Coordinates of all heavy atoms in Angstrom, one line a residue:
V1 N -22.7 50.8 -41.1 CA -23.8 49.8 -40.8 C -24.9 50.3 -39.9 O -26.0 50.1 -40.2 CB -23.1 48.4 -40.2 CG1 -24.2 47.5 -39.9 CG2 -22.2 47.8 -41.2
E2 N -24.4 50.9 -38.9 CA -25.4 51.5 -37.9 C -26.3 52.5 -38.5 O -27.5 52.5 -38.1 CB -24.6 52.1 -36.7 CG -25.4 52.5 -35.5 CD -26.0 51.4 -34.7 OE1 -25.5 50.2 -34.9 OE2 -26.9 51.7 -33.9
I3 N -25.8 53.4 -39.4 CA -26.6 54.4 -39.9 C -27.3 54.0 -41.2 O -28.5 54.3 -41.4 CB -25.8 55.7 -40.2 CG1 -25.0 56.1 -38.9 CG2 -26.6 56.8 -40.8 CD1 -26.0 56.4 -37.8
Y4 N -26.6 53.4 -42.2 CA -27.1 53.1 -43.5 C -27.4 51.7 -43.8 O -28.2 51.3 -44.7 CB -26.1 53.6 -44.5 CG -25.7 55.0 -44.4 CD1 -24.5 55.3 -43.8 CD2 -26.5 56.1 -44.8 CE1 -24.1 56.6 -43.6 CE2 -26.1 57.4 -44.7 CZ -24.9 57.6 -44.1 OH -24.5 59.0 -43.9
G5 N -27.0 50.7 -42.9 CA -27.3 49.3 -43.2 C -26.1 48.5 -43.8 O -25.2 49.1 -44.3
F6 N -26.3 47.2 -43.8 CA -25.2 46.3 -44.3 C -25.0 46.5 -45.8 O -23.9 46.4 -46.3 CB -25.6 44.9 -44.0 CG -24.6 43.9 -44.7 CD1 -23.5 43.5 -44.0 CD2 -24.9 43.3 -45.9 CE1 -22.6 42.6 -44.6 CE2 -24.0 42.4 -46.4 CZ -22.9 42.0 -45.8
S7 N -26.1 46.7 -46.6 CA -25.9 46.8 -48.0 C -25.0 48.0 -48.4 O -24.2 47.8 -49.4 CB -27.3 47.0 -48.7 OG -28.0 48.2 -48.2
R8 N -25.1 49.1 -47.7 CA -24.2 50.2 -48.0 C -22.8 49.9 -47.6 O -21.8 50.2 -48.3 CB -24.7 51.5 -47.3 CG -26.0 52.1 -47.9 CD -25.7 52.8 -49.2 NE -26.9 53.4 -49.8 CZ -27.3 54.6 -49.6 NH1 -26.6 55.4 -48.8 NH2 -28.4 55.1 -50.2
A9 N -22.7 49.3 -46.4 CA -21.3 48.8 -45.9 C -20.7 47.9 -46.9 O -19.5 48.0 -47.2 CB -21.4 48.2 -44.6
R10 N -21.4 47.0 -47.5 CA -21.0 46.0 -48.4 C -20.4 46.7 -49.6 O -19.3 46.3 -50.2 CB -22.0 45.0 -48.8 CG -21.7 44.0 -50.0 CD -22.9 43.1 -50.2 NE -24.1 43.8 -50.4 CZ -25.4 43.3 -50.2 NH1 -25.4 42.0 -49.8 NH2 -26.4 43.9 -50.4
F11 N -21.1 47.7 -50.1 CA -20.7 48.5 -51.3 C -19.4 49.2 -51.1 O -18.5 49.2 -51.9 CB -21.9 49.5 -51.7 CG -21.4 50.5 -52.7 CD1 -21.4 50.1 -54.0 CD2 -21.1 51.8 -52.4 CE1 -21.0 51.0 -55.0 CE2 -20.7 52.7 -53.4 CZ -20.7 52.3 -54.7
V12 N -19.2 49.8 -49.9 CA -18.1 50.5 -49.5 C -16.9 49.6 -49.3 O -15.7 49.9 -49.7 CB -18.3 51.3 -48.2 CG1 -17.0 51.9 -47.7 CG2 -19.3 52.4 -48.4
I13 N -17.1 48.4 -48.8 CA -16.0 47.4 -48.7 C -15.5 47.0 -50.0 O -14.3 46.9 -50.2 CB -16.5 46.2 -47.9 CG1 -16.8 46.5 -46.4 CG2 -15.5 45.0 -48.0 CD1 -17.5 45.5 -45.6
W14 N -16.4 46.7 -50.9 CA -15.9 46.4 -52.3 C -15.3 47.6 -53.0 O -14.3 47.4 -53.7 CB -17.2 45.9 -53.2 CG -17.5 44.4 -53.0 CD1 -18.6 44.0 -52.4 CD2 -16.8 43.3 -53.4 NE1 -18.6 42.6 -52.4 CE2 -17.5 42.2 -53.0 CE3 -15.5 43.2 -54.0 CZ2 -17.0 40.9 -53.2 CZ3 -15.0 41.9 -54.3 CH2 -15.8 40.8 -53.9
L15 N -15.7 48.7 -52.7 CA -15.1 50.0 -53.3 C -13.7 50.1 -52.7 O -12.7 50.3 -53.5 CB -15.9 51.2 -52.9 CG -15.4 52.5 -53.4 CD1 -15.4 52.6 -55.0 CD2 -16.2 53.7 -52.9
G16 N -13.5 49.9 -51.4 CA -12.2 49.9 -50.8 C -11.3 48.8 -51.4 O -10.1 49.0 -51.6
F17 N -11.8 47.6 -51.6 CA -11.1 46.5 -52.2 C -10.6 46.9 -53.5 O -9.4 46.7 -53.9 CB -12.0 45.3 -52.3 CG -11.3 44.1 -52.9 CD1 -10.6 43.2 -52.1 CD2 -11.4 43.8 -54.2 CE1 -10.0 42.1 -52.6 CE2 -10.8 42.7 -54.8 CZ -10.1 41.8 -54.0
A18 N -11.5 47.5 -54.4 CA -11.2 47.9 -55.8 C -10.1 49.0 -55.8 O -9.2 49.0 -56.6 CB -12.4 48.3 -56.5
M19 N -10.3 50.0 -54.9 CA -9.3 51.1 -54.9 C -7.9 50.7 -54.5 O -6.9 51.1 -55.0 CB -9.9 52.3 -54.0 CG -11.1 52.9 -54.6 SD -10.9 53.7 -56.3 CE -11.6 52.4 -57.3
N20 N -7.9 49.8 -53.4 CA -6.7 49.3 -53.0 C -6.0 48.5 -54.0 O -4.7 48.5 -54.2 CB -6.9 48.4 -51.8 CG -5.6 48.1 -51.0 OD1 -4.7 48.9 -51.0 ND2 -5.6 47.1 -50.2
L21 N -6.7 47.7 -54.8 CA -6.2 46.9 -55.8 C -5.6 47.8 -57.0 O -4.5 47.5 -57.5 CB -7.3 46.0 -56.4 CG -6.8 45.1 -57.6 CD1 -5.7 44.2 -57.2 CD2 -8.0 44.2 -58.1
L22 N -6.4 48.9 -57.3 CA -5.9 49.8 -58.3 C -4.6 50.5 -57.9 O -3.7 50.6 -58.7 CB -7.0 50.8 -58.5 CG -6.7 52.0 -59.5 CD1 -6.4 51.4 -60.9 CD2 -7.8 53.0 -59.6
V23 N -4.5 50.9 -56.7 CA -3.3 51.6 -56.2 C -2.1 50.5 -56.3 O -1.0 50.9 -56.7 CB -3.4 52.1 -54.8 CG1 -2.1 52.4 -54.1 CG2 -4.4 53.3 -54.7
T24 N -2.4 49.3 -55.9 CA -1.3 48.3 -55.9 C -0.8 48.0 -57.3 O 0.4 48.0 -57.6 CB -1.8 47.0 -55.3 OG1 -2.2 47.2 -53.9 CG2 -0.8 45.9 -55.3
L25 N -1.8 47.9 -58.3 CA -1.4 47.7 -59.7 C -0.7 48.9 -60.3 O 0.3 48.7 -61.0 CB -2.7 47.4 -60.5 CG -3.4 46.1 -60.2 CD1 -4.6 46.0 -61.0 CD2 -2.5 44.9 -60.4
L26 N -1.1 50.1 -59.9 CA -0.4 51.3 -60.4 C 1.0 51.4 -59.9 O 2.0 51.8 -60.6 CB -1.2 52.5 -60.1 CG -2.5 52.7 -60.8 CD1 -3.3 53.9 -60.4 CD2 -2.3 52.8 -62.4
L27 N 1.2 51.0 -58.6 CA 2.5 51.1 -58.0 C 3.5 50.0 -58.7 O 4.6 50.3 -58.9 CB 2.4 50.8 -56.5 CG 1.9 51.9 -55.6 CD1 1.7 51.5 -54.2 CD2 2.8 53.1 -55.7
Q28 N 2.9 48.8 -58.9 CA 3.7 47.8 -59.7 C 4.1 48.3 -61.0 O 5.2 48.0 -61.5 CB 2.9 46.5 -59.7 CG 2.5 45.9 -58.4 CD 3.7 45.9 -57.4 OE1 4.7 45.3 -57.6 NE2 3.5 46.5 -56.2
L29 N 3.2 49.0 -61.7 CA 3.5 49.6 -63.0 C 4.6 50.6 -62.9 O 5.6 50.6 -63.7 CB 2.2 50.3 -63.6 CG 2.4 51.1 -64.9 CD1 2.9 50.1 -66.0 CD2 1.2 51.8 -65.3
G30 N 4.6 51.4 -61.8 CA 5.6 52.3 -61.6 C 7.0 51.7 -61.3 O 8.0 52.1 -61.8
L31 N 6.9 50.6 -60.6 CA 8.2 49.8 -60.4 C 8.7 49.2 -61.7 O 10.0 49.1 -61.8 CB 7.9 48.7 -59.3 CG 7.7 49.2 -57.9 CD1 7.2 48.0 -57.1 CD2 9.0 49.8 -57.3
A32 N 7.8 48.8 -62.5 CA 8.3 48.1 -63.8 C 8.8 49.0 -64.8 O 9.5 48.6 -65.7 CB 7.1 47.3 -64.3

């Protein structure tokens, strides 16, 4: 936020959300 602004931070937050969700779904697939 300090260097690039809120818009870039917002993009990274959604990216983190998506990657975390992907890892979670893949782990559940591995368990199944």
Side-chain angles (χ1 to χ4, degrees):
V1 174
E2 187 72 12
I3 304 300
Y4 306 100
F6 176 84
S7 58
R8 290 286 179 94
R10 174 177 53 200
F11 173 77
V12 172
I13 291 168
W14 277 112
L15 182 64
F17 180 89
M19 294 302 99
N20 196 23
L21 178 60
L22 177 61
V23 169
T24 299
L25 293 176
L26 291 177
L27 287 174
Q28 300 314 300
L29 175 61
L31 288 170

